[in-house]
C-alpha cells in the first residue's frame, strides 16, 4: 500500500507588527516568521471510498471537518474536480495546540503538499499557495517555511536571502494557557486602533522599514539581534499570567540573544547562539519552570517548511 509521510514544522515570530485594518476585516501585518524543528508528522494513505478520515495520537484534538487538515484535503478535491479521491491521514501531534506556533496551519500545509503527491494532482507551488491562503493566514508561510518576511494578512511572502544563521530556541508554554487569536487581535484594535496606519502607501513604508531595518540586517549578516517586536505581546502580556511570568523567567537568563512571545501566544521563546547554550538555559531554569508548571522544548531554526520525509 502506498504511504507517504510529511513533516509539518512549527514557526515562531521574530517580528509581528500590526500596521492597520484591511477592507476584509483582517489586520494588515508586517512579520518575520521562522520555522523551527518542533515537528508534527502526517502519514497519508490513499483510500478508494472518496472519504477523508483523520486520526490523531493526541486525545481531544478534533478530527472532523473542523480540522484544517480535513479542510485542506477537501479543498484539493474541489480544485481538482475529483470528489472520488479519498485518504486515511494519521497525525502524530508534537506541536502544542493553540500556542501561537502555527501547528494547525502547518498540518494543513503538509496535507496540501502530501496529498498533491499522493493523488498525483501536480498542482504548482503557486496553486498550492492560493489554496493555503484560503485555509488561513499562516498556512501560506508554512509551505516554503524557513525565514520569510510576511505581509498582507500573512500570505505575501518574501524569503530572507541569504538565509539567517541556525540559531537555537528555548521554547516554553504553560499547558493550561491558551490565547484566542481573534481575541488578541480584537484587544489590539481596541487599544491601538486609533493609531493604526491606513492606506497602501503608509503600509509600504513600514514594509520597507522592516526590509531595511536592524532585525533583517542582523539575520542576514549574523550580527547582534535588536529587541524583537511583537505588537500582540503588548496586549497579551498584561492579561495572561503565564505569559507575564514566563517572559520574566526568560528575560533573567544571561545568554539570550532575544526573548519574545510567538504570534498571539501563549508560547514564549528565547534565542541562543547554539543548542548547548539553549540546553544550559533550560537546565538553569528547570526548577522554576517545574514550579510554575511550564513545559519546555529546545529546538533549532529550520530552513524549510512542510516537506516529504525520505
Ligand atoms: O486566518 P486565521 O484563521 O489564522 O485568523 C484567525 C483570526 O485572527 C481571524 O479571524 C482574525 O480575527 C485574526 N487575524 C487578523 N488579521 C490577520 C490574521 C488573523 O485580524 N492578518
Amino acid at each position: 500500500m502506498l504511504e507517504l509521510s510529511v513533516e509539518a514544522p512549527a514557526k515562531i515570530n521574530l517580528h509581528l507588527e500590526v500596521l492597520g485594518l484591511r477592507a476584509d476585516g483582517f489586520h494588515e501585518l508586517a512579520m518575520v516568521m521562522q520555522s523551527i524543528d518542533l515537528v508534527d508528522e502526517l502519514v497519508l494513505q490513499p483510500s478508494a471510498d472518496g472519504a477523508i478520515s483523520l486520526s490523531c495520537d493526541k486525545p481531544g484534538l478534533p478530527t472532523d471537518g473542523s480540522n484544517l487538515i480535513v479542510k485542506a484535503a477537501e479543498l484539493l478535491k474541489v480544485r481538482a474536480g475529483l470528489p472520488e479521491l479519498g485518504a486515511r491521514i494519521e497525525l502524530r501531534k508534537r506541536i502544542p495546540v493553540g500556542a501561537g506556533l502555527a501547528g494547525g496551519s502547518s498540518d494543513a500545509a503538509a496535507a496540501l503538499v502530501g496529498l498533491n503527491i499522493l493523488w498525483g494532482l501536480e498542482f504548482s507551488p503557486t496553486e498550492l499557495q492560493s489554496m493555503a491562503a484560503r485555509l488561513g493566514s499562516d498556512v501560506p508561510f508554512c509551505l516554503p517555511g524557513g525565514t520569510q518576511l510576511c505581509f498582507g494578512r500573512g500570505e505575501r511572502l518574501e524569503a530572507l536571502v541569504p538565509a539567517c544563521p541556525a540559531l537555537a530556541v528555548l521554547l516554553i508554554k504553560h499547558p493550561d494557557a491558551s490565547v484566542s487569536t481573534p481575541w488578541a487581535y480584537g484587544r489590539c484594535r481596541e487599544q491601538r486602533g486609533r493609531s493604526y496606519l491606513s492606506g497602501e502607501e503608509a503600509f509600504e513604508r513600514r514594509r520597507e522599514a522592516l526590509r531595511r531595518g536592524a532585525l533583517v540586517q542582523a539575520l542576514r549578516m549574523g550580527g547582534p539581534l535588536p529587541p524583537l517586536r511583537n505588537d500582540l505581546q503588548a496586549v497579551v502580556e498584561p492579561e495572561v499570567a503565564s505569559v507575564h511570568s514566563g517572559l520574566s523567567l526568560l528575560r533573567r537568563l544571561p545568554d539570550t540573544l532575544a526573548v519574545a512571545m510567538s504570534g498571539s501566544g501563549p508560547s514564549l521563546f528565547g534565542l541562543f547562539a547554539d543548542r548547548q547554550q539553549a540546553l544550559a538555559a533550560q537546565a538553569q531554569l528547570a526548577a522554576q519552570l517545574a514550579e510554575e508548571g511550564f513545559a519546555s522544548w529546545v529546538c533549532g531554526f529550520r530552513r524549510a517548511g512542510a516537506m516529504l520525509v525520505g
Side-chain angles (χ1 to χ4, degrees):
M1 169 70 87
L2 179 59
E3 183 178 286
L4 291 181
S5 288
V6 194
E7 288 185 335
K11 63 84 185 159
I12 54 174
N13 292 80
L14 302 179
H15 185 87
L16 193 166
E17 189 178 343
V18 175
L19 303 184
L21 210 56
R22 299 154 51 95
D24 61 10
F26 281 76
H27 283 83
E28 182 72 25
L29 304 175
M31 303 189 284
V32 179
M33 306 242 255
Q34 174 66 55
S35 302
I36 56 174
D37 54 14
L38 174 63
V39 175
D40 287 345
E41 191 180 349
L42 273 70
V43 182
L44 313 171
Q45 285 180 346
S47 70
D49 56 3
I52 306 298
S53 70
L54 175 64
S55 62
C56 177
D57 58 2
K58 189 179 163 65
L61 198 98
T63 52
D64 59 6
S66 68
N67 190 299
L68 268 188
I69 293 175
V70 178
K71 289 186 180 171
E74 297 293 355
L75 183 58
L76 269 174
K77 286 171 56 165
V78 169
R79 291 282 171 99
L82 296 170
E84 66 272 25
L85 293 172
R88 268 189 297 278
I89 306 173
E90 187 190 322
L91 169 61
R92 300 177 181 160
K93 195 74 197 157
R94 303 290 169 266
I95 305 171
V97 176
L101 298 171
S105 300
S106 194
D107 293 345
L112 290 177
V113 168
L115 292 172
N116 190 38
I117 296 167
L118 191 83
W119 288 336
L121 298 177
E122 298 186 0
F123 282 117
S124 68
T126 311
E127 289 169 313
L128 292 180
Q129 281 292 333
S130 106
M131 288 182 237
R134 289 269 317 253
L135 293 165
S137 305
D138 286 345
V139 185
F141 163 79
C142 295
L143 284 169
T147 317
Q148 305 265 350
L149 280 66
C150 308
F151 302 121
R153 280 168 53 205
E155 84 291 4
R156 285 175 50 190
L157 309 180
E158 295 178 15
L160 188 87
V161 184
C164 68
L167 301 179
V169 184
L170 171 60
L171 188 69
I172 68 170
K173 180 192 174 279
H174 201 284
D176 301 337
S178 82
V179 174
S180 143
T181 304
W183 172 83
Y185 279 105
R187 291 293 280 161
C188 182
R189 189 177 168 184
E190 276 165 38
Q191 292 176 10
R192 294 199 24 224
R194 257 171 282 129
S195 58
Y196 279 178
L197 301 174
S198 63
E200 180 51 28
E201 240 174 77
F203 294 158
E204 185 54 28
R205 273 197 295 275
R206 291 306 309 159
R207 291 181 200 124
E208 198 50 25
L210 179 62
R211 290 183 192 107
R212 293 170 181 279
L215 172 66
V216 167
Q217 295 317 315
L219 290 172
R220 281 210 182 101
M221 309 302 178
L225 291 175
L228 303 184
R229 172 172 178 179
N230 179 343
D231 289 348
L232 297 179
Q233 183 180 319
V235 171
V236 173
E237 186 177 357
E239 303 209 28
V240 180
S242 78
V243 169
H244 181 73
S245 64
L247 284 169
S248 358
L249 285 180
L250 292 173
R251 284 177 186 136
R252 261 183 252 150
L253 288 166
D255 292 328
T256 48
L257 304 174
V259 166
M261 185 179 85
S262 184
S264 56
S267 293
L268 312 166
F269 64 88
L271 299 181
F272 296 85
D274 57 49
R275 188 175 167 81
Q276 242 176 336
Q277 285 186 24
L279 286 168
Q282 188 184 36
Q284 191 179 333
L285 283 187
Q288 286 126 304
L289 290 174
E291 192 180 318
E292 298 193 26
F294 280 99
S296 69
W297 299 260
V298 167
C299 43
F301 282 15
R302 180 179 151 122
R303 289 271 157 89
M307 212 162 66
L308 218 58
V309 182

